[in-house]
Amino acid sequence: MSESTMNVESTVIDGSFYQPLESTRLIRSSNWSPNDTTIRSSKTIPCVTKSEQQLYKLYAQALADSEVTHDWSSWVEMMTINCQKCCSEAEISHPIAFRTGRQSQLSQNIRMLQIERDSWLLWNRARDTLNNTRQDLPEVIPGSSDRLIVEHHLLNNPQLRMAKAVQGWLQTTKLDERYQTDLKMAMTKLEPKRIYWEKTCHFLKSSYNANIPNPYITCLDFDAAHKQKRRLCDTDEQEENDLLQIVFSLLRVGEYSKAKNLCKSTGYHWLAALLSANELYHDENYYCSEANDIVFPVEGNQKRIQWIESMFELCMDMRLKLYERAIYGLLCGRTEALIPVCKTYADYLWAYTSCYIEQEIHHILVYAHQNELNDVDKHRVLSNDELGNHQLKMTTIFDEILADCPAHIRDEALLPFNQIEKYLILANYDRLFDSILSFLHTNESNGSLLRFSTHICLFLYEQNHSENFNQKNFIEILTTYIGHLIELEFKDLVCYYISKLPLNNQSTLMATFLDTLSNRQDKEHYLKQGFTYKIDIDTSLLKLAANQQREQTFDKNNTDEIISTNLKNLNENDHKQLEALKLLTTFLSTQTLDALRFANRICRYFLNDAKYEGIRIALSYFPHDIDIHTIEANNRQQSEDDLREFKAFGAYIAAIEAIQRWSEMHQKQQQQQDNTSSIVRDDQAYLPIVIKACYGVFDYAQGWLLDSTNIHQSLPDNESRQIETSILRHKCIPMLACNLFRIFDLIKEDQETFRLIVFLSDNRKQQLYSLFSKETLNSVLSLTEHAAERCLDRQQQQQTDETTTISYFL
């Protein structure tokens, strides 16, 4: 049937309410936690109603409530109600958009909400139909009830139950406010009549005795126009077209009673009788006791099998009107008569599903009554070829739609929500997940699609359907939704959904989430929330710390022998590492060793970059008197080595600070103009503290930044750690020694110079001079030479003074 032909009789009802799906990108929304956690402040999402801002938290709340009650049917129903409520409130606020200039964006968002709502209605109706079939049906008495025969068959045929659920869903979603308004407006054109074809009858009566040609029918049989090959009066012709279209529109939304009443009120009793003939036969009197005085009316059509055969023939009669044939095709389950009046993908799916149901019912009744038929009738009604009808199957309906529909219907069928609904109907969860992932990979961020997809996957996962699909796909979908929540800054929902992931994936995503937070207060807040949802916070923090590690080159060649007072400032990455360390020391109650090891790692980086402030901050996060007994670890020796390394950084910082303090005192002393020879110099008084701090590094127990054992060889980062500590020893020990030598040279403490030389060359102290480069060693020897010269000069002067004294006395 061509497109132009399809639209000839479409003047009354325009059933095409579906627009192409467009992606909607939400910006931000208010935050919320399912278990009444503190709601964090956030901005308002532009172009989105307040009710939609709450939809995210309502979804999570419904899911959280169902975890307590384990009533997943109620959960699906609650999700449907929440989405319906949000959609209704958004539709109410829609007129306001005309004054704000946001009408286009808001209309798009509302359309997406409507599709999301319709998808929940499908899943809710399908599950209710599958799980609530009647189990108390009486046994069927032969010849008593076709209705009970069909209902008994429904108990054993899940495909037919699903088809009826889909049919009811398509009828419900079609019957929206606009559709009802259009129906009412169309029905106002039809006036109640005692008889049909009133204008034609009036013409025949007035011209009965006149000798004028009569182009109209001469009897009131409903098929008189075809028998006599004459037409109706133009007004009756138009009214009949309108009536047939309205009747079909009522049947499209399942309003059979209204359709029959409309036919009766307009005089089309024969059409009302045809609609009634589709009802299943049932005689309640067979199931009443003999003492019952009430006689129940017999319902339905006892000759429905034969009546269906007549409908088959009528719906293919091309002389009949388009919508009349569509009505007959619907009643007998023939898609060829229904498809020409379908305008949307939903209409196509409804047509195929309805025909499948009618065909199934017909075959159920044929096989139930085959013993009542003679051989000729039995062969005729059992033969599909004789009926000329293609037998539909629920599993192939979608493929047949794509094979026969126009291009625009095919494009609509392949849209994301329609594909998801398809796999939900077919219970093909593996393909469902693949389809969702493909849309997520190829489409822009779509709040409604992602919300619905994620919660459908969560429902299936919670219902132990995980064996029916790839768990990796489930993880990717839920991870994408969590990323969407983070992007919208629904941070109070993130921990809850992270807790729905498998245990081995929770820590990684929690660490990623914490990394997106800008300050430590927020991180601590959501770490506490993570504890509430039983997320492995220890592992999450360790992974967060690992994420903060940076690549750094440890240059072994050191040309800077002087400790500068102009130290490097900490950058943003440094502060992130320190925040991660603070979180580790705050929340890792049973894994202090891991926090200590991370502190050692970042301290090595800070020391290599001369960022001593970072080391001071890292040291401040641990107790001042931390010892091996405060660290809980399986390997005590390993703990001792890590603790030694941590305290080694403290010893080095103490030496650095002492040198810097002495340098400040010395400079200040040099700037004084007064004679201070009789006053004790501050730098000289402070010198013992400097010497003690530096020797605390040189004479560090078992060697500065050296392990007492080889226990770290078992750690994965042992090789890099050994390289880093070796480089730092080659840089820091010579630099510290050179600074101390220069201090001695400035204040002419020659004996301390010789003492330090002896100490650095002592075999029992690892011969620290071996760490010096050739240039550094030459510098040290030069300073030592200066000290030696001064000693010799003093010795020579002393001998001269003694000789002078002796000569004086002589």
Side-chain angles (χ1 to χ4, degrees):
M1 185 67 65
S2 66
E3 186 74 14
S4 58
T5 306
M6 290 172 57
N7 294 330
V8 169
E9 299 182 353
S10 303
T11 58
V12 180
I13 299 297
D14 180 13
S16 180
F17 300 154
Y18 288 84
Q19 303 297 328
L21 292 179
E22 299 290 345
S23 60
T24 173
R25 187 179 182 83
L26 305 183
I27 309 300
R28 289 184 73 172
S29 165
S30 60
N31 293 323
W32 177 86
S33 173
N35 289 334
D36 298 329
T37 56
T38 304
I39 297 179
R40 318 287 284 185
S41 62
S42 66
K43 298 180 181 178
T44 303
I45 303 177
C47 302
V48 178
T49 61
K50 292 183 179 179
S51 58
E52 187 176 358
Q53 296 180 36
Q54 299 296 318
L55 191 57
Y56 286 90
K57 76 171 186 178
L58 291 175
Y59 272 26
Q61 182 67 66
L63 188 59
D65 292 342
S66 296
E67 289 178 354
V68 178
T69 61
H70 296 285
D71 187 358
W72 297 105
S73 296
S74 298
W75 175 72
V76 175
E77 183 178 357
M78 185 57 64
M79 302 290 254
T80 307
I81 294 173
N82 290 337
C83 201
Q84 283 179 316
K85 180 180 178 181
C86 173
C87 189
S88 299
E89 294 184 5
E91 290 169 350
I92 292 173
S93 64
H94 183 260
I96 303 175
F98 286 95
R99 300 195 300 271
T100 61
R102 298 179 297 156
Q103 188 268 341
S104 177
Q105 178 65 36
L106 189 57
S107 296
Q108 179 179 332
N109 290 348
I110 290 175
R111 181 62 198 140
M112 293 304 304
L113 281 172
Q114 290 171 341
I115 298 172
E116 183 181 0
R117 172 201 62 193
D118 293 346
S119 298
W120 279 117
L121 287 171
L122 167 65
W123 189 232
N124 188 29
R125 184 181 292 269
R127 293 196 70 261
D128 286 345
T129 303
L130 292 176
N131 296 331
N132 297 311
T133 54
R134 290 178 57 189
Q135 301 293 335
D136 57 345
L137 296 175
E139 292 295 328
V140 180
I141 300 175
S144 65
S145 179
D146 290 346
R147 183 195 303 171
L148 289 180
I149 292 174
V150 173
E151 290 182 357
H152 275 288
H153 187 80
L154 278 173
L155 295 175
N156 301 315
N157 191 334
Q159 288 189 11
L160 185 56
R161 293 201 303 271
M162 178 60 79
K164 291 185 72 66
V166 172
Q167 182 191 48
W169 166 67
L170 290 168
Q171 293 170 349
T172 301
T173 54
K174 185 76 170 181
L175 190 61
D176 57 11
E177 184 176 351
R178 176 182 171 183
Y179 195 86
Q180 293 185 52
T181 302
D182 291 345
L183 274 175
K184 290 178 182 178
M185 292 179 62
M187 292 172 67
T188 56
K189 299 179 181 179
L190 302 177
E191 300 178 359
K193 300 180 179 66
R194 296 178 59 185
I195 60 173
Y196 67 108
W197 298 343
E198 184 175 359
K199 301 297 181 182
T200 303
C201 292
H202 180 73
F203 176 82
L204 292 175
K205 183 177 180 180
S206 62
S207 60
Y208 183 77
N209 297 321
N211 295 322
I212 59 175
N214 179 21
Y216 305 122
I217 60 172
T218 59
C219 64
L220 297 182
D221 291 340
F222 70 92
D223 58 347
H226 308 298
K227 291 179 180 180
Q228 299 180 355
K229 296 183 180 180
R230 294 190 177 196
R231 64 186 181 88
L232 302 177
C233 180
D234 293 342
T235 304
D236 289 337
E237 190 77 28
Q238 182 61 46
E239 285 184 354
E240 184 169 280
N241 288 336
D242 292 346
L243 173 68
L244 291 172
Q245 189 171 354
I246 294 172
V247 169
F248 178 81
S249 300
L250 289 169
L251 299 181
R252 171 63 180 86
V253 293
E255 299 283 1
Y256 279 77
S257 297
K258 287 186 179 180
K260 287 187 288 186
N261 293 335
L262 178 63
C263 293
K264 294 176 182 178
S265 66
T266 54
Y268 281 76
H269 296 275
W270 60 268
L271 186 54
L274 282 176
L275 297 178
S276 298
N278 189 54
E279 297 176 2
L280 294 173
Y281 172 74
H282 179 70
D283 189 352
E284 187 66 25
N285 298 298
Y286 276 87
Y287 302 95
C288 298
S289 63
E290 295 180 357
N292 188 9
D293 296 332
I294 301 176
V295 178
F296 294 96
V298 177
E299 302 174 7
N301 183 5
Q302 193 171 13
K303 300 296 182 180
R304 193 178 187 275
I305 297 175
Q306 292 77 9
W307 173 81
I308 286 289
E309 294 182 64
S310 301
M311 291 298 101
F312 275 126
E313 297 177 2
L314 284 174
C315 70
M316 297 308 295
D317 190 342
M318 302 304 295
R319 298 173 301 173
L320 301 180
K321 295 179 175 61
L322 181 64
Y323 278 93
E324 185 178 357
R325 287 189 286 110
I327 293 171
Y328 299 154
L330 174 62
L331 297 177
C332 66
R334 190 150 191 161
T335 56
E336 295 91 331
L338 265 178
I339 291 304
V341 298
C342 294
K343 299 179 179 63
T344 66
Y345 168 72
D347 292 339
Y348 269 75
L349 182 56
W350 168 80
Y352 274 86
T353 304
S354 299
C355 289
Y356 164 74
I357 293 172
E358 291 299 332
Q359 290 179 14
E360 282 293 306
I361 292 175
H362 179 66
H363 283 276
I364 291 170
L365 297 180
V366 165
Y367 281 98
H369 297 292
Q370 59 181 324
N371 294 330
E372 304 171 15
L373 304 175
N374 56 46
D375 294 339
V376 176
D377 292 339
K378 184 185 300 184
H379 179 270
R380 185 181 70 256
V381 298
L382 293 178
S383 173
N384 288 334
D385 294 335
E386 179 69 20
L387 297 175
N389 188 42
H390 173 61
Q391 183 66 28
L392 296 173
K393 295 182 180 179
M394 195 62 192
T395 54
T396 61
I397 280 179
F398 295 95
D399 295 332
E400 295 191 24
I401 292 175
L402 293 178
D404 298 332
C405 67
H408 72 281
I409 298 296
R410 184 178 297 105
D411 293 340
E412 190 178 349
L414 297 177
L415 291 174
F417 268 103
N418 290 332
Q419 286 292 293
I420 292 173
E421 291 162 0
K422 166 186 173 181
Y423 295 123
L424 286 175
I425 292 170
L426 297 178
N428 190 339
Y429 302 132
D430 192 49
R431 292 292 300 276
L432 169 68
F433 277 52
D434 291 338
S435 177
I436 292 172
L437 283 175
S438 66
F439 294 133
L440 296 182
H441 292 162
T442 58
N443 287 273
E444 297 180 4
S445 178
N446 185 325
S448 294
L449 176 63
L450 188 55
R451 269 197 311 269
F452 177 75
S453 302
T454 301
H455 288 87
I456 281 292
C457 295
L458 276 171
F459 172 81
L460 295 173
Y461 190 78
E462 294 289 347
Q463 290 290 287
N464 298 321
H465 289 286
S466 56
E467 68 278 2
N468 295 328
F469 50 77
N470 190 338
Q471 189 181 63
K472 181 180 178 181
N473 293 342
F474 165 75
I475 294 171
E476 184 174 354
I477 294 169
L478 185 52
T479 301
T480 303
Y481 184 69
I482 293 171
H484 178 69
L485 293 175
I486 294 174
E487 181 183 1
L488 302 183
E489 298 196 8
F490 283 99
K491 297 176 183 177
D492 284 319
L493 293 175
V494 171
C495 290
Y496 174 72
Y497 284 98
I498 289 177
S499 68
K500 311 308 294 181
L501 286 166
L503 293 177
N504 56 340
N505 297 96
Q506 293 180 10
S507 302
T508 302
L509 199 56
M510 186 67 184
T512 304
F513 169 55
L514 293 173
D515 198 22
T516 64
L517 303 176
S518 58
N519 57 72
R520 193 173 70 239
Q521 289 76 14
D522 281 346
K523 292 178 181 178
E524 291 180 353
H525 171 80
Y526 292 111
L527 280 170
K528 294 175 182 177
Q529 195 178 97
F531 275 120
T532 304
Y533 296 120
K534 300 180 180 179
I535 298 173
D536 187 356
I537 295 301
D538 289 352
T539 307
S540 301
L541 287 172
L542 293 175
K543 290 186 177 182
L544 173 65
N547 293 340
Q548 303 299 340
Q549 295 182 27
R550 53 178 178 159
E551 295 293 333
Q552 182 174 353
T553 302
F554 280 71
D555 188 5
K556 190 172 184 179
N557 297 324
N558 179 34
T559 58
D560 185 11
E561 298 175 353
I562 303 297
I563 298 175
S564 174
T565 56
N566 297 322
L567 304 180
K568 297 180 181 178
N569 295 324
L570 300 177
N571 57 33
E572 181 180 357
N573 186 68
D574 298 332
H575 286 294
K576 284 186 176 182
Q577 292 187 83
L578 290 171
E579 280 188 2
L581 177 62
K582 177 61 176 177
L583 294 174
L584 285 171
T585 57
T586 303
F587 289 91
L588 286 184
S589 57
T590 61
Q591 297 191 34
T592 310
L593 179 61
D594 294 306
L596 195 66
R597 192 167 295 142
F598 178 69
N600 290 340
R601 185 181 300 114
I602 63 175
C603 283
R604 291 197 294 270
Y605 294 151
F606 289 146
L607 187 56
N608 183 60
D609 285 344
K611 296 180 178 179
Y612 304 127
E613 182 62 26
I615 300 178
R616 294 189 189 97
I617 296 174
L619 295 175
S620 68
Y621 291 157
F622 293 86
H624 179 71
D625 57 346
I626 184 173
D627 57 26
I628 191 65
H629 300 291
T630 63
I631 300 176
E632 297 183 13
N634 295 328
N635 194 313
R636 287 290 181 183
Q637 186 60 59
Q638 181 176 325
S639 303
E640 291 177 357
D641 288 342
D642 290 311
L643 184 58
R644 284 185 61 260
E645 180 180 352
F646 178 76
K647 290 189 174 183
F649 293 116
Y652 190 80
I653 290 297
I656 295 295
E657 290 178 340
I659 292 175
Q660 290 174 343
R661 176 61 177 159
W662 183 90
S663 177
E664 293 172 357
M665 291 180 177
H666 183 71
Q667 291 177 8
K668 183 178 180 181
Q669 204 78 43
Q670 293 295 329
Q671 293 173 359
Q672 292 181 355
Q673 300 298 327
D674 298 334
N675 184 12
T676 58
S677 58
S678 60
I679 302 175
V680 178
R681 293 171 59 96
D682 292 339
D683 56 348
Q684 291 180 346
Y686 194 72
L687 183 61
I689 299 176
V690 177
I691 295 174
K692 181 179 179 180
C694 291
Y695 272 88
V697 177
F698 301 143
D699 198 22
Y700 195 78
Q702 299 170 343
W704 187 76
L705 288 188
L706 283 179
D707 298 333
S708 60
T709 66
N710 293 324
I711 194 67
H712 282 87
Q713 290 181 356
S714 61
L715 298 178
D717 62 343
N718 173 65
E719 184 177 355
S720 61
R721 177 183 178 276
Q722 293 297 333
I723 293 174
E724 292 168 3
T725 54
S726 176
I727 292 174
L728 290 177
R729 280 174 55 82
H730 280 81
K731 291 174 65 174
C732 296
I733 294 294
M735 183 171 59
L736 195 64
C738 284
N739 279 275
L740 195 55
F741 275 122
R742 283 180 172 81
I743 291 174
F744 295 155
D745 185 62
L746 286 173
I747 61 176
K748 298 180 175 54
E749 288 286 346
D750 301 328
Q751 293 300 324
E752 291 295 339
T753 300
F754 298 143
R755 177 186 169 213
L756 182 55
I757 281 290
V758 172
F759 184 89
L760 294 175
S761 61
D762 193 341
N763 288 333
R764 294 170 298 177
K765 305 300 180 184
Q766 298 97 27
Q767 291 185 322
L768 295 179
Y769 75 91
S770 62
L771 299 174
F772 291 37
S773 65
K774 184 177 180 179
E775 294 79 6
T776 305
L777 191 58
N778 289 334
S779 178
V780 169
L781 292 177
S782 176
L783 294 172
T784 307
E785 182 181 1
H786 294 165
E789 290 176 352
R790 285 192 298 270
C791 286
L792 291 174
D793 290 343
R794 282 196 297 270
Q795 185 66 27
Q796 185 178 3
Q797 182 65 35
Q798 183 179 1
Q799 290 176 358
T800 302
D801 292 343
E802 289 177 355
T803 303
T804 303
T805 303
I806 294 173
S807 298
Y808 175 78
F809 283 106
L810 292 175

